[in-house]
Amino acid sequence: MKFSPCTSQCTSDGDFCRGCGRSHNEIRETSALWAKVAAHMFEYGYDDPENFLETLNNKSLRRLTVLQENRR
């Protein structure tokens, strides 16, 4: 499944947003994750949030690869 970002045409009825097609649960969990990442960068006062986010991206993709390989 491909990630579908918000289209700013949000709906709250039913199980899925008609704007982006994601489940409301996925939207809530993703929003909470992004809020936690932003709060972490703020709490530690990173002067280079781009570096932190690039590292987070790289490490997350590596961990995803391991999870996918272990699933096989």
Side-chain angles (χ1 to χ4, degrees):
M1 158 174 115
K2 291 200 180 277
F3 175 72
S4 177
C6 181
T7 62
S8 297
Q9 298 173 350
C10 306
T11 61
S12 59
D13 59 319
D15 293 331
F16 295 87
C17 173
R18 283 186 249 143
C20 67
R22 294 183 290 152
S23 72
H24 296 295
N25 188 53
E26 180 186 356
I27 293 168
R28 276 190 301 277
E29 288 182 9
T30 303
S31 294
L33 180 61
W34 289 336
K36 186 167 179 124
V37 169
H40 178 86
M41 291 186 295
F42 179 78
E43 180 179 341
Y44 289 95
Y46 294 150
D47 293 330
D48 58 347
E50 297 85 1
N51 186 37
F52 173 79
L53 292 170
E54 183 178 342
T55 302
L56 179 65
N57 178 53
N58 293 334
K59 286 184 177 257
S60 297
L61 290 173
R62 280 197 301 271
R63 288 183 185 202
L64 175 61
T65 299
V66 169
L67 289 171
Q68 290 169 331
E69 289 173 352
N70 290 336
R71 188 176 187 185
R72 294 179 191 160

